[in-house]
């Protein structure tokens, strides 16, 4: 109990955990917003090329981006962005985290959206076109809304994965949740409580989120066809 | 009004349409028959620009269809699919009104008014707020037909409208097609329903291996088929 007391109460160390939790959530949500934006653009660019053979260069650039991001470790990407790209820039380190994880997530989200759109029956696009909508109108009103709904469960998984992945952000000195646990451990010379508590906070976060997403999916599937 | 001239469509090595020539006159009811894979559907899809012919031309009232914008073409040529292709994420009323509203052909009020009128005529008004998955196949197909009719096309291309339906639903859909036919609509129907075809059609086109083998008066063809292949096909399908 003494160790538990030292881990949380002495010097208000619980505040370190809360601060870490706050940063983890900020980075995750920020990254997810960037990731969804990038992912959506990539999906649209790639679909436009596949359907209409337009913008070949953009198609190859985005394919390269997805390959590079998915083929290298996220920690390395984070380090490259922090130590090389933003080396001389005076920029908030949390923002660096958001950008790095956002760029990383964009590649995965684009794959999620791609398979979501591919799961929409081809007849939907054909019906849209035969009724007189253009390709872009059909995408906007018919295909993307359906593809997005199909993408929601894997997008939820991406959210959960992102929460856990941001734990490597401590490597470049971002005070996220894992880093907080680590700091408390190094101050108290006791690893058990800080790390277990950190793990429990992650678990509460991911399990809670999973439940919320399940709930949303249920509501969603009861209204759609 | 519709003229298909020397149209060839190849998918890789496969020739789906082999020099097709077809003229459709205003008000005609044409039934296209033939074994699976003979190119019937591909022909309709080429006319409707869902496929681009490898060579040949398709003209609508003298204008090549590839030069007609989609939003204009849909008010001339409507298409009904075997699998209905209703928009799954939208209610029935939105399925019907989305396109006329987005193409700015009607205001929202006009579109809704017209859609409700059509739904009422077909006794489907109570389905307006439902989603496609809540409807039977026959209802879905009738909604798909309404969705096309609201744009007031001059020709309806109908691709195996009952191909995915059970007998009960088939009757409803065929009845609706006959009602539409009575309004003087020009119709090209791909179907395997020979009973329907024989009293619906003025003209029958029999296709095989991407070619039109026979193109003639419906009565002659159904009552007294002379062509050997056609005889074979009809006896198979009727048995």
């Amino acid at each position: 109990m003494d160790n538990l007391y030292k881990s949380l109460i002495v010097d208000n160390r619980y505040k370190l955990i809360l601060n870490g939790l706050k940063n983890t959530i900020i980075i995750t949500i920020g990254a997810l917003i960037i990731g969804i934006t990038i992912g959506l653009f990539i999906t649209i660019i790639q679909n436009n090329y596949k359907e209409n053979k337009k913008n070949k260069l953009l198609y190859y650039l985005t394919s390269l981006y997805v390959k590079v991001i998915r083929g290298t470790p996220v920690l390395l990407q984070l380090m490259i962005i922090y130590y090389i790209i933003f080396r001389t820039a005076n920029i908030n380190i949390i923002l660096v985290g958001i950008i790095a994880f956002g760029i990383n997530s964009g590649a995965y989200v684009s794959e999620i959206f791609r398979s979501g759109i591919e799961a929409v029956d081809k007849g939907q696009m054909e019906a849209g076109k035969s009724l007189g909508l253009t390709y872009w109108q059909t995408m906007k009103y018919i295909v993307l809304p359906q593809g997005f709904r199909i993408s929601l469960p894997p997008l939820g998984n991406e959210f959960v994965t992102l929460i856990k992945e941001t734990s490597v952000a401590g490597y470049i000195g971002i005070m996220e949740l894992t880093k907080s646990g680590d700091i408390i451990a190094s101050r108290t010379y006791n690893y058990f409580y800080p790390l277990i508590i950190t793990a429990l906070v992650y678990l509460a976060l991911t399990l809670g989120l999973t439940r919320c997403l399940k709930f949303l999916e249920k509501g969603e599937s009861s209204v759609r066809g | 009004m519709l003229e298909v001239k020397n149209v060839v469509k190849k998918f890789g090595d496969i020739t789906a349409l082999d020099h097709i020539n077809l003229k459709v006159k205003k008000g005609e009811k044409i039934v296209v028959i033939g074994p699976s894979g003979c190119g019937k559907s591909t022909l309709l899809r080429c006319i409707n620009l869902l496929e681009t012919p490898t060579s040949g031309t398709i003209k609508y009232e003298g204008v090549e269809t590839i030069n007609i914008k989609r939003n204009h073409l849909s008010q001339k040529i409507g298409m009904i699919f075997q699998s209905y292709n209703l928009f799954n994420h939208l209610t029935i009323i939105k399925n019907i009104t989305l396109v006329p509203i987005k193409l700015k052909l009607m205001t929202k009020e006009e579109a809704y008014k017209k859609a409700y009128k059509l739904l009422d005529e077909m006794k489907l008004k109570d389905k307006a707020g439902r989603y496609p998955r809540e409807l039977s196949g026959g209802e879905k197909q009738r909604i798909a037909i309404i969705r096309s009719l609201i744009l007031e096309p001059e020709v309806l291309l109908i691709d195996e409208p009952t191909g995915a339906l059970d007998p009960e639903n088939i009757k409803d859909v065929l009845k609706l097609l006959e009602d539409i036919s009575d309004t003087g609509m020009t119709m090209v129907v791909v179907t395997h329903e020979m009973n329907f075809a024989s009293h619906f059609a003025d003209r029958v086109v029999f296709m095989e291996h991407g070619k039109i083998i026979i193109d003639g008066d419906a009565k002659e063809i159904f009552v007294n088929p002379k062509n050997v292949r056609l005889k074979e096909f009809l006896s198979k399908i009727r048995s």
Side-chain angles (χ1 to χ4, degrees):
Chain A
M1 282 317 278
D2 187 39
N3 277 334
L4 180 61
Y5 180 77
K6 272 194 216 157
S7 298
L8 286 178
I9 311 299
V10 175
D11 292 343
N12 280 340
R13 282 176 183 141
Y14 72 94
K15 281 190 174 162
L16 273 173
I17 297 274
L18 288 181
N19 186 50
L21 175 63
K22 188 189 82 190
N23 287 340
T24 290
I25 292 174
I26 289 174
I27 294 171
T28 304
I29 290 178
L32 198 67
I33 291 169
I34 294 178
I36 288 175
T37 311
I38 295 177
L40 192 61
F41 272 106
I42 292 180
T43 309
I44 290 171
I45 288 167
Q46 299 203 338
N47 193 272
N48 186 29
Y49 175 71
K50 281 178 203 160
E51 290 261 340
N52 306 324
K53 300 281 166 253
K54 283 194 180 144
N55 289 325
K56 195 173 178 178
L57 181 67
L58 272 178
Y59 171 78
Y60 281 110
L61 283 176
T62 53
S63 300
L64 182 69
Y65 161 82
V66 172
K67 281 199 187 90
V68 169
I69 295 294
R70 301 213 313 157
T72 53
V74 62
L75 178 54
L76 199 63
Q77 293 161 17
L78 182 68
M79 287 164 72
I80 289 172
I81 286 170
Y82 184 58
Y83 293 122
I84 300 177
I85 297 174
F86 287 128
R87 190 172 60 97
T88 52
N90 184 13
I91 182 171
N92 183 325
I93 196 163
I94 293 194
L95 197 58
V96 174
I98 291 175
I99 292 169
F101 285 103
I103 290 174
N104 176 270
S105 186
Y108 291 92
V109 172
S110 78
E111 291 290 291
I112 290 170
F113 284 161
R114 182 182 58 79
S115 56
I117 281 180
E118 279 171 6
V120 176
D121 187 67
K122 272 193 116 53
Q124 298 282 310
M125 174 59 88
E126 294 187 343
K129 283 183 174 175
S130 81
L131 287 165
L133 298 177
T134 61
Y135 165 80
W136 290 108
Q137 285 174 321
T138 314
M139 281 304 272
K140 185 173 160 197
Y141 299 118
I142 313 296
V143 179
L144 285 176
Q146 291 185 55
F148 187 73
R149 284 174 190 194
I150 297 170
S151 302
L152 278 180
L155 206 54
N157 290 341
E158 172 64 15
F159 197 175
V160 173
T161 305
L162 208 49
I163 290 177
K164 293 179 289 175
E165 269 190 349
T166 55
S167 66
V168 301
Y171 198 92
I172 62 163
I174 295 176
M175 289 298 286
E176 45 68 54
L177 189 51
T178 304
K179 186 75 177 175
S180 304
D182 190 30
I183 285 175
I184 295 172
S186 62
R187 285 188 193 159
T188 56
Y189 303 105
N190 167 281
Y191 276 89
F192 184 80
Y193 284 110
L195 296 192
I196 296 299
I197 288 166
T198 307
L200 288 176
V201 175
Y202 271 112
L203 210 53
L205 206 55
T206 52
L207 290 182
L209 184 64
T210 311
R211 281 209 99 142
C212 286
L213 292 168
K214 277 256 163 64
F215 185 73
L216 282 177
E217 268 170 45
K218 261 193 187 159
E220 190 63 42
S221 65
S222 68
V223 295
R224 71 162 164 142
Chain B
M1 68 197 316
L2 191 65
E3 188 180 4
V4 178
K5 210 170 179 183
N6 272 324
V7 164
V8 176
K9 175 68 188 175
K10 288 183 180 171
F11 296 103
D13 293 338
I14 300 158
T15 306
L17 296 178
D18 191 357
H19 295 92
I20 295 286
N21 288 290
L22 184 73
K23 276 187 187 175
V24 182
K25 288 194 218 97
K26 197 168 173 53
E28 264 189 316
K29 326 288 168 203
I30 301 180
V31 163
V32 184
I33 58 172
S36 300
C38 71
K40 304 173 299 238
S41 297
T42 310
L43 176 60
L44 294 194
R45 294 166 59 83
C46 280
I47 295 174
N48 201 33
L49 294 186
L50 289 176
E51 304 284 354
T52 318
T54 312
S55 66
T57 57
I58 297 167
K59 285 182 180 173
Y60 185 83
E61 285 175 340
V63 184
E64 276 200 53
T65 50
I66 46 168
N67 297 324
I68 303 176
K69 286 208 168 117
R70 281 207 181 284
N71 53 354
H72 293 293
L73 191 70
S74 69
Q75 294 154 65
K76 301 178 193 307
I77 305 178
M79 175 106 172
I80 308 296
F81 300 90
Q82 178 176 4
S83 50
Y84 339 117
N85 296 342
L86 293 184
F87 304 133
N88 297 318
H89 64 307
L90 299 176
T91 56
I92 296 311
I93 187 73
K94 286 199 171 141
N95 258 278
I96 300 170
T97 55
L98 175 86
V99 174
I101 293 171
K102 295 299 175 198
L103 293 184
K104 300 199 167 61
L105 301 172
M106 299 173 200
T107 63
K108 201 177 167 193
E109 290 73 33
E110 285 167 350
Y112 271 66
K113 208 176 144 201
K114 199 167 170 193
Y116 275 115
K117 190 170 161 276
L118 286 165
L119 283 169
D120 199 27
E121 280 169 19
M122 296 181 197
K123 299 192 172 50
L124 288 165
K125 205 171 181 179
D126 57 320
K127 308 291 182 197
R130 297 293 176 91
Y131 283 86
R133 72 190 159 98
E134 299 173 293
L135 271 56
S136 75
E139 288 166 342
K140 281 190 227 181
Q141 192 59 291
R142 281 147 71 207
I143 297 296
I145 293 170
I146 295 178
R147 185 176 67 171
S148 192
L149 285 181
I150 198 170
L151 299 170
E152 296 180 346
E154 290 155 2
V155 184
L156 270 188
L157 307 175
I158 308 175
D159 189 7
E160 295 194 35
T162 58
L165 299 177
D166 57 67
E168 188 70 13
N169 280 312
I170 289 177
K171 255 186 14 202
D172 289 345
V173 170
L174 295 183
K175 169 82 172 52
L176 174 55
L177 292 183
E178 277 167 19
D179 290 348
I180 296 170
S181 154
D182 291 342
T183 66
M185 176 78 77
T186 312
M187 295 163 91
V188 182
V189 187
V190 169
T191 187
H192 290 295
E193 294 289 328
M194 288 305 145
N195 281 329
F196 164 75
S198 59
H199 65 261
F200 171 84
D202 313 324
R203 194 172 140 200
V204 174
V205 170
F206 175 60
M207 288 180 71
E208 198 172 35
H209 305 306
K211 289 191 174 98
I212 292 181
I213 310 279
I214 297 170
D215 177 354
D217 185 75
K219 282 195 189 76
E220 270 174 41
I221 284 172
F222 282 117
V223 177
N224 186 18
K226 292 191 181 79
N227 182 288
V228 183
R229 280 298 300 134
L230 177 63
K231 263 189 199 168
E232 267 181 35
F233 175 73
L234 288 176
S235 67
K236 252 187 224 162
I237 213 157
R238 277 169 177 164
S239 62

